[in-house]
Amino acid sequence: MDVRRIRERKAQNRLDANCIPGLPVDGDPRELRTPISAFDGVLEGVLAELVTVRSPFFEALRAQWKTLFPDLPAVPGRFEDGKLFLYVRTSGRLFALRPKLTKIKRALEQLPEAPKKFTVHLEIHAVK
């Protein structure tokens, strides 16, 4: 049996489980719809990969982050124009980490790939 028929059978089973006998079924029930990926989401991901500038410093930083700062509730987000952006989940964590930025920068300056001049910033993002 091919994949399409299996998918259609599962959708029909979902529809049968949710139907109330005697009531009409909508012409396009949700249970029979096939989820599709939106084109804008695909395009956004492709464009992000194309315009991302690879930095040896940032790649090394991402690889060593857990060993350098194991208990820090921030992750390296991006490195643009000499600015390193660390992502945190909440504004509370952002304000708690602000005083530690100079200590973080000093530790990062010790990396052999570190540029001579860079700054460290915090941003709130939904971190995985």
Side-chain angles (χ1 to χ4, degrees), residues 31-63:
E31 292 85 0
L32 296 179
R33 295 181 190 160
T34 304
I36 58 169
S37 60
F39 181 72
D40 61 344
V42 173
L43 185 63
E44 187 176 296
V46 170
L47 286 176
E49 281 294 317
L50 289 174
V51 298
T52 302
V53 177
R54 302 284 184 216
S55 165
F57 165 65
F58 188 65
E59 297 302 323
L61 173 63
R62 289 181 63 186

Side-chain angles (χ1 to χ4, degrees), residues 6-124:
I6 294 171
R7 183 182 68 222
E8 288 175 358
R9 181 176 288 160
K10 287 180 180 179
Q12 188 64 43
N13 289 340
R14 280 194 309 270
L15 179 64
D16 293 342
N18 292 331
C19 280
I20 298 174
L23 291 180
V25 177
D26 186 19
D28 181 29
R30 281 183 279 170
E31 292 85 0
L32 296 179
R33 295 181 190 160
T34 304
I36 58 169
S37 60
F39 181 72
D40 61 344
V42 173
L43 185 63
E44 187 176 296
V46 170
L47 286 176
E49 281 294 317
L50 289 174
V51 298
T52 302
V53 177
R54 302 284 184 216
S55 165
F57 165 65
F58 188 65
E59 297 302 323
L61 173 63
R62 289 181 63 186
Q64 300 175 22
W65 185 257
K66 291 291 182 186
T67 58
L68 290 171
F69 306 103
D71 298 328
L72 199 66
V75 294
R78 67 181 192 277
F79 183 68
E80 296 174 344
D81 302 324
K83 297 177 184 176
L84 173 65
F85 293 92
L86 302 177
Y87 292 169
V88 294
R89 285 189 180 192
T90 64
S91 60
R93 287 186 177 171
L94 185 140
F95 285 107
L97 287 178
R98 277 189 357 185
K100 299 178 183 179
L101 284 180
T102 54
K103 183 179 176 183
I104 293 170
K105 184 179 178 198
R106 284 190 196 124
L108 296 178
E109 287 173 338
Q110 304 305 316
L111 293 175
E113 300 88 1
K116 298 222 183 271
K117 293 178 85 178
F118 70 96
T119 57
V120 181
H121 304 271
L122 294 170
E123 280 188 359
I124 300 172

